[in-house]
Amino acid sequence: MLVTITYTGPNASDLGYLLHKNPGKVQPFELNVGVATVFYPEVTAERCTAALLLEVDAIDLVRNKHIRMGTRDSLDHYINDRPYVSSSLMSVALGKVFSTAMSGRCNERPELAASPLELVIQLSSVPVMGAPGFATSLFEPLGWNVNEVPIPYDSKFPTWGDSSYVKITLTGTMLLNDALRQIYLLLPVMEDAKHYWVSDAEVGKLMRAGAGWLETHPQRAMIIQRYLAHQRNMTEKVAFHDEEDGSDTGDAAQLVPARKALRSLRLEAVLTALHELGTRRVVDMGCGEGALLQKLFSDPTFSSIVGTDVSPHMLNRAEERLRLRELSDRQRERVRLLQSSATYLDDRLRDYDAVVLMEVVEHIEPERLAALESSVFGYAKPKAVVVTTPNAEFNSLYPQLPSGSFRHPDHRFEWSRAEFDQWIVSIASTYGYRAERRSIGDADELLGAPTQMAIFKRA
């Protein structure tokens, strides 16, 4: 995979100073993702071209614990396009090799680093998940003239049509550090994929790379979602606010950390309850992608953590989120991921200190609730159960939610506060638990809080 940067202007070889790479040398760099080599195929007084070549070994990718390789036990580990295309792995190389240039620092030519340059940047074999012209729609609003050429499946068989790979040429007058930051951020956006472990650090990378241009991009919401791998716990940490009133309009919009979202408040409320209960051994039923598991695992108070879900795909996502492949055997002993259901009688989940059902019960068909109650409260018999669920009355305060609709298309029901209270009383009396009710989120005077929580303690 190859990226070339061409600067046309007086003393064009000064591009080497801006990139902090000597035009007279071929310079290799050993990276986690492969070997990146910087060289200059063209150096004259009027025109200078720098090239970044990334060579990736497919076997090394499989062995590298930092690289995300898809589902376990899959041939996708070995047979894929990553050694041949400019994907998120190229972004990693750009960020490592040209980190100083991306910051805009150049002590030898500070005036040149602060000046727009006539640039031509070519990106070879870019995987693009989008309609024809998608790459153009990303770069054109930034001031680039974009030439986006689809690559055919096979030039000898034109009837096969074009592949999803394109060659992109960007021409424009731009600060070099802006150009590098835009390419760094938009390469994984075009593919809509990250081929390395995505952690909370990606939020900081997004805000640094997007500063000064992403704020006003017409597709900024989509860019944020794709760059952060559609992980809501991360996208909710990023927002655009006007300096004056927090609105999402105007040229004064800035990229800033978002206010704490309801999702974060739920996590905090559950953790607080578990600490109050003195929990050491806990089961997160319906763990999904592992947002709560990640919080539990980072807290040494919890000595044994189990996450369950009916979906193997979600368990894979949770494993990635916890970065279990990178941990020692001793660290991995604290957490287990099990395929199971809240409605199953599962011997592996019996007699724990606490079971958490965070935003789970509303996904169960009403006629199956009795099975959930029996399996959790009657069979697993934890010392405590923590349940959170939406407050249906609060839904009328969401302007984009049609009247009578649920907050999520997979919800089978949503309880009012009175209905939730009735369920709590029934569970406590049937299974021998004492119950406490709490609210989560900013409460409306008439409609209550957006989320309601129950804490059951075995009598």
Side-chain angles (χ1 to χ4, degrees), residues 275-328:
H275 280 292
E276 292 174 357
L277 292 164
T279 301
R280 300 277 294 168
R281 302 170 66 250
V282 59
V283 177
D284 180 13
M285 279 192 181
C287 65
E289 297 181 356
L292 177 60
L293 293 177
Q294 188 176 40
K295 296 287 187 182
L296 295 170
F297 191 68
S298 64
D299 189 333
T301 301
F302 304 103
S303 59
S304 179
I305 304 162
V306 175
T308 74
D309 205 279
V310 295
S311 167
H313 174 69
M314 285 299 178
L315 293 174
N316 283 338
R317 295 290 293 268
E319 181 184 32
E320 293 175 3
R321 189 187 197 118
L322 295 169
R323 306 177 79 165
L324 294 184
R325 291 173 56 184
E326 302 180 30
L327 303 178
S328 67

Side-chain angles (χ1 to χ4, degrees), residues 250-272:
D251 295 334
Q254 291 188 332
L255 191 64
V256 297
R259 292 181 299 175
K260 190 166 292 184
L262 181 59
R263 184 187 181 98
S264 298
L265 294 174
R266 278 197 298 265
L267 289 170
E268 290 182 2
V270 170
L271 288 170
T272 297

Side-chain angles (χ1 to χ4, degrees), residues 194-422:
K194 288 284 186 76
H195 301 305
Y196 55 85
W197 299 109
V198 178
S199 67
D200 286 341
E202 298 300 298
V203 175
K205 294 177 185 178
L206 169 75
M207 295 175 68
R208 289 190 295 273
W213 63 270
L214 182 55
E215 298 93 329
T216 55
H217 197 289
Q219 299 195 67
R220 61 194 182 198
M222 179 273 296
I223 291 171
I224 291 171
Q225 290 176 356
R226 285 192 170 202
Y227 184 83
L228 297 177
H230 301 273
Q231 296 194 27
R232 282 182 53 192
N233 64 305
M234 295 185 191
T235 58
E236 288 173 347
K237 295 178 182 178
V238 181
F240 292 87
H241 296 299
D242 185 83
E243 293 181 18
E244 297 289 331
D245 59 8
S247 65
D248 188 17
T249 59
D251 295 334
Q254 291 188 332
L255 191 64
V256 297
R259 292 181 299 175
K260 190 166 292 184
L262 181 59
R263 184 187 181 98
S264 298
L265 294 174
R266 278 197 298 265
L267 289 170
E268 290 182 2
V270 170
L271 288 170
T272 297
L274 293 175
H275 280 292
E276 292 174 357
L277 292 164
T279 301
R280 300 277 294 168
R281 302 170 66 250
V282 59
V283 177
D284 180 13
M285 279 192 181
C287 65
E289 297 181 356
L292 177 60
L293 293 177
Q294 188 176 40
K295 296 287 187 182
L296 295 170
F297 191 68
S298 64
D299 189 333
T301 301
F302 304 103
S303 59
S304 179
I305 304 162
V306 175
T308 74
D309 205 279
V310 295
S311 167
H313 174 69
M314 285 299 178
L315 293 174
N316 283 338
R317 295 290 293 268
E319 181 184 32
E320 293 175 3
R321 189 187 197 118
L322 295 169
R323 306 177 79 165
L324 294 184
R325 291 173 56 184
E326 302 180 30
L327 303 178
S328 67
D329 291 342
R330 184 176 179 181
Q331 289 174 310
R332 281 197 295 267
E333 287 176 356
R334 286 182 59 217
V335 61
R336 285 194 302 161
L337 300 178
L338 305 174
Q339 186 176 9
S340 186
S341 168
T343 60
Y344 295 168
L345 304 182
D346 194 331
D347 289 337
R348 299 171 297 177
L349 308 179
R350 299 194 71 181
D351 299 321
Y352 273 79
D353 293 340
V355 166
V356 176
L357 295 163
M358 188 174 72
E359 307 299 289
V360 170
V361 294
E362 64 273 11
H363 292 270
I364 306 295
E365 295 287 354
E367 59 269 21
R368 295 288 293 159
L369 271 180
L372 177 145
E373 296 162 6
S374 176
S375 67
V376 174
F377 295 93
Y379 191 77
K381 292 184 179 178
K383 295 177 182 177
V385 180
V386 178
V387 179
T388 75
T389 191
N391 167 21
E393 296 165 80
F394 196 87
N395 290 355
S396 62
L397 298 179
Y398 291 109
Q400 303 302 321
L401 191 65
S403 178
S405 298
F406 296 149
R407 295 187 201 175
H408 190 280
D410 190 51
H411 286 185
R412 300 301 189 257
F413 65 88
E414 289 177 359
W415 279 321
S416 67
R417 287 171 292 172
E419 290 168 331
F420 189 47
D421 287 342
Q422 184 178 3

